[in-house]
Amino acid sequence: EAQVTQNPRYLITVTGKKLTVTCSQNMNHEYMSWYRQDPGLGLRQIYYSMNVEVTDKGDVPEGYKVSRKEKRNFPLILESPSPNQTSLYFCASNHRGQSTDTQYFGPGTRLTVL
Amino acid sequence: GQNIDQPTEMTATEGAIVQINCTYQTSGFNGLFWYQQHAGEAPTFLSYNVLDGLEEKGRFSSFLSRSKGYSYLLLKELQMKDSASYLCAVRDLFSGGYNKLIFGAGTRLAVHP
């Protein structure tokens, strides 16, 4: 089954404790992206990757890091989480270069930083 | 810059028709997407428009007018399961690459019996 998976689905942590949210896709997509979703603000892109070893900042990259060592995986790293990073996070992927390509979203990770 | 506006909330009756509007301002428009998102779940793709006109897909239709920066999603024969948020998203070639989507805040639709 074609899918994007994220782990963990739910996480409660404390300020300053490093964490990683994993994302994996089995569709051989070149493009992967991380979003955060907050009430009234919609989905905002944090980082994206056009392919292996190619990453770039989205609209709200502060406080986050990513890596793309393999095509299928795109982890999101919070080196020192703060309460303002409490949010619902989605990973997404799609093929690059086709105008009709939609993004496929993972199930989401609800993060609470105390 | 970019701006996407859609109503925050709408209500409708089961069996009825509802139209959710979306207006946008982008410099490098290259397509408009509609997604459905149930509470706490991932967005799922509904429709894509890049040329002016109406795209119909079962009970859902989406319309685009590029000259007016306007789109709508039309839901017919509403069912209770259509209660969800509907996200309008625009691909803007000038704001971060071919694959960059800019999302509106979403319209929360409540369908009542």
Side-chain angles (χ1 to χ4, degrees), chain A residues 30-31 50 94-102, chain B residues 30 48 91 93 97-100:
Chain A
E30 295 86 6
Y31 187 88
M50 300 290 280
N94 63 276
H95 277 303
R96 191 180 66 190
Q98 294 187 33
S99 62
T100 56
D101 275 335
T102 181
Chain B
N30 192 250
Y48 170 75
R91 176 184 285 133
L93 294 181
Y98 184 84
N99 296 274
K100 175 71 178 289

Side-chain angles (χ1 to χ4, degrees), chain A residues 8-102:
Chain A
R9 295 289 314 280
Y10 303 91
L11 180 61
I12 300 174
T13 189
V14 295
T15 298
K17 185 176 181 182
K18 180 180 178 180
L19 66 93
T20 299
V21 184
T22 64
C23 172
S24 183
Q25 50 93 5
N26 62 1
M27 295 168 280
N28 203 34
H29 286 165
E30 295 86 6
Y31 187 88
M32 298 185 74
S33 187
W34 275 103
Y35 294 89
R36 61 177 290 172
Q37 187 174 36
D38 302 289
L41 295 178
L43 286 160
R44 294 180 291 167
Q45 191 182 55
I46 302 170
Y47 268 93
Y48 65 95
S49 169
M50 300 290 280
N51 214 324
V52 176
E53 302 292 1
V54 181
T55 63
D56 208 346
K57 297 177 180 178
D59 300 315
V60 288
E62 294 77 21
Y64 304 94
K65 287 174 56 178
V66 292
S67 69
R68 188 89 182 274
K69 293 184 170 56
E70 306 164 284
K71 198 171 188 178
R72 63 183 295 123
N73 296 323
F74 190 44
L76 179 70
I77 303 155
L78 285 73
E79 294 270 3
S80 182
S82 61
N84 64 12
Q85 292 177 298
T86 293
S87 188
L88 179 58
Y89 291 86
F90 289 102
C91 180
S93 73
N94 63 276
H95 277 303
R96 191 180 66 190
Q98 294 187 33
S99 62
T100 56
D101 275 335
T102 181

Side-chain angles (χ1 to χ4, degrees), chain B residues 13-102:
Chain B
T13 305
E14 193 175 15
I17 299 172
V18 71
Q19 178 175 311
I20 303 174
N21 296 324
C22 172
T23 59
Y24 64 88
Q25 291 175 308
T26 61
S27 48
F29 177 83
N30 192 250
L32 187 144
F33 295 80
W34 283 96
Y35 287 84
Q36 181 190 60
Q37 185 180 24
H38 286 97
E41 297 182 9
T44 55
F45 171 74
L46 286 178
S47 69
Y48 170 75
N49 296 71
V50 68
L51 299 176
D52 291 351
L54 189 68
E55 294 282 341
E56 298 188 76
K57 195 184 286 187
R59 293 190 299 116
F60 294 1
S61 303
S62 57
F63 172 83
L64 175 67
S65 169
R66 288 171 297 170
S67 62
K68 295 181 179 177
Y70 168 70
S71 173
Y72 67 72
L73 180 69
L74 193 71
L75 292 76
K76 304 174 189 174
E77 301 169 16
L78 280 171
Q79 302 175 9
M80 298 298 290
K81 67 178 182 180
D82 296 329
S83 293
S85 288
Y86 292 86
L87 314 181
C88 175
V90 170
R91 176 184 285 133
D92 186 340
L93 294 181
F94 295 165
S95 69
Y98 184 84
N99 296 274
K100 175 71 178 289
L101 291 183
I102 301 163

